Amino acid sequence: MQYKAEIHVTLKRTVNDPQGLAIRGGLHSLGFETVESVRAGKFIEVWLEADSAQEAQRLADDMSDRLLANPVIEDYRVELVAADQARTSPRSAGGGVT
Amino acid sequence: MQYKAEIHVTLKRTVNDPQGLAIRGGLHSLGFETVESVRAGKFIEVWLEADSAQEAQRLADDMSDRLLANPVIEDYRVELVAADQARTSPRSAGGGVT
């Protein structure tokens, strides 16, 4: 069955975030002066085949540990999306991904 | 009141995603051969002051339109997080952000 894993990779709280600071500066320059802080992270969508939701979750956790996140400075969070929603894979929709 | 906006910025479906392709290649090399496709996007957390949730949402949409996303090639999605959860601002927690 096809699953979609939505993986958020964020810097750990104690790690400096120059990209977030740059965004905050940009927002202030544009007049958004009520912005207090900004953190920038990654959002990775993975479509995969697995026998069960448990297996898909295990695979996505393993991918995050081994490639998608740097465990020294980053945290990650995996959310599995139901298989019917996963059918909106860019591949099956003819997007430019494969 | 303090709000936190979680903003997902993703490439439009018809836009090529070389970063996603590279990640997919890396996952295949690591043995995750059931991965069909990968899309890479950005996840931006913004803590801001606003008078109401509606105002915070409007500001976050405006920021996304004007700075965070490139509307020609990217889509964005804003989720407002309740004010009590927003208290986990990295600034108030003493993180290295301010």
Side-chain angles (χ1 to χ4, degrees):
Chain A
M1 194 181 284
Q2 197 189 40
Y3 293 91
K4 178 186 172 192
E6 297 190 343
I7 302 167
H8 292 82
V9 179
T10 48
L11 284 169
K12 286 184 196 286
R13 295 277 287 278
T14 49
V15 175
N16 235 333
D17 179 8
Q19 193 185 356
L21 285 176
I23 293 171
R24 193 179 68 138
L27 290 172
H28 283 185
S29 303
L30 285 173
F32 297 104
E33 281 159 19
T34 60
V35 170
E36 293 179 0
S37 61
V38 177
R39 300 288 278 177
K42 286 175 280 183
F43 175 60
I44 301 164
E45 299 165 289
V46 177
W47 287 263
L48 72 162
E49 283 287 330
D51 292 335
S52 66
Q54 287 73 23
E55 171 75 359
Q57 179 81 40
R58 194 191 60 74
L59 284 167
D61 283 337
D62 203 16
M63 288 172 205
S64 303
D65 275 328
R66 293 176 60 194
L67 183 72
L68 304 179
N70 174 349
V72 178
I73 56 167
E74 292 173 326
D75 292 318
Y76 67 84
R77 179 172 100 230
V78 173
E79 285 162 47
L80 216 61
V81 176
D84 53 342
Q85 290 178 256
R87 279 194 208 121
T88 59
S89 159
R91 178 189 251 176
S92 58
V97 167
T98 51
Chain B
M1 194 181 284
Q2 197 189 40
Y3 293 91
K4 178 187 172 193
E6 297 190 344
I7 302 166
H8 292 82
V9 179
T10 49
L11 284 169
K12 285 185 196 286
R13 297 276 287 279
T14 50
V15 174
N16 235 334
D17 179 7
Q19 192 186 356
L21 285 175
I23 293 171
R24 192 179 68 139
L27 290 172
H28 283 185
S29 303
L30 286 174
F32 296 104
E33 281 159 21
T34 61
V35 169
E36 292 180 359
S37 61
V38 177
R39 299 288 278 177
K42 285 175 282 184
F43 176 59
I44 301 164
E45 298 165 289
V46 177
W47 287 263
L48 73 161
E49 282 287 331
D51 293 334
S52 67
Q54 289 73 23
E55 171 74 0
Q57 179 81 39
R58 194 190 60 75
L59 284 167
D61 284 336
D62 203 16
M63 288 172 205
S64 304
D65 275 327
R66 293 176 60 193
L67 183 72
L68 305 179
N70 174 350
V72 177
I73 56 166
E74 292 172 324
D75 292 318
Y76 67 84
R77 178 174 101 230
V78 174
E79 285 162 48
L80 216 60
V81 176
D84 54 341
Q85 290 179 257
R87 278 194 209 121
T88 60
S89 158
R91 177 188 253 177
S92 58
V97 167
T98 50

